[in-house]
Amino acid sequence: MAWNFLDGLDIIVDVLELFGSGSRSTSDRKSLNYDEKPQKKSSGRSKYFTEKVSAGLIAATIFLFLIVFKDPLPAENYTQTLVVTSLIGVVISFVMFFILHVMELYYFKNIFKLLLFSCSVIAFFISAVMYSYFRSGWFI
């Protein structure tokens, strides 16, 4: 008579079902409100929160770009400087997106809100890096 491993697992599952089924009675169903319709959770945000944040970021981006490009930029390595500052801004925005994702705050109901928010954040960080690069005098 050979003892099979799966037979042992079957015995363990039967014992767990015996003790587990008695605890889930009608009192647990009532406490978990299975018979009622689920209530809608109200998030503390307004209906157009994403659009408002994106509009604010776009306004700040326009303001920073106007300050940066008001005067002519230094002529040496002009293209290289713009590419490097843009890449730094994109990397900073991706780090922010990752942090929002880990905090479970980076979710959207449709693709247009995702694109609006992501593009406005990327443009804001690019303009902020360019502003700090050209107007601070630390790097020039």
Side-chain angles (χ1 to χ4, degrees):
M1 186 160 126
W3 185 74
N4 192 357
F5 177 72
L6 295 176
D7 290 336
L9 286 178
D10 188 38
I11 293 170
I12 292 172
V13 169
D14 288 338
V15 169
L16 289 175
E17 284 180 1
L18 178 68
F19 290 119
S21 66
S23 66
R24 292 199 178 198
S25 62
T26 58
S27 64
D28 285 345
R29 289 187 118 185
K30 288 179 184 175
S31 68
L32 295 175
N33 296 327
Y34 284 126
D35 299 330
E36 296 177 9
K37 291 182 181 179
Q39 296 176 355
K40 188 175 182 181
K41 290 183 181 177
S42 64
S43 63
R45 297 191 219 172
S46 67
K47 185 176 180 181
Y48 298 108
F49 179 75
T50 306
E51 289 85 354
K52 289 178 184 177
V53 170
S54 297
L57 289 174
I58 290 171
T61 300
I62 291 170
F63 179 72
L64 289 175
F65 274 142
L66 286 175
I67 292 173
V68 168
F69 292 115
K70 178 178 67 174
D71 298 327
L73 298 177
E76 58 186 54
N77 299 329
Y78 177 73
T79 307
Q80 180 182 359
T81 303
L82 290 179
V83 168
V84 168
T85 55
S86 297
L87 287 175
I88 292 171
V90 168
V91 167
I92 292 171
S93 62
F94 284 163
V95 168
M96 191 188 103
F97 294 150
F98 178 73
I99 291 170
L100 287 174
H101 175 71
V102 168
M103 293 172 45
E104 297 178 358
L105 296 173
Y106 192 67
Y107 62 91
F108 300 93
K109 292 187 179 181
N110 59 29
I111 190 73
F112 300 111
K113 285 185 180 182
L114 171 76
L115 289 175
L116 177 67
F117 180 75
S118 299
C119 291
S120 63
V121 167
I122 290 170
F124 173 74
F125 279 114
I126 289 173
S127 65
V129 168
M130 283 185 184
Y131 176 78
S132 66
Y133 185 82
F134 287 118
R135 296 299 170 208
S136 67
W138 295 340
F139 307 106
I140 298 176

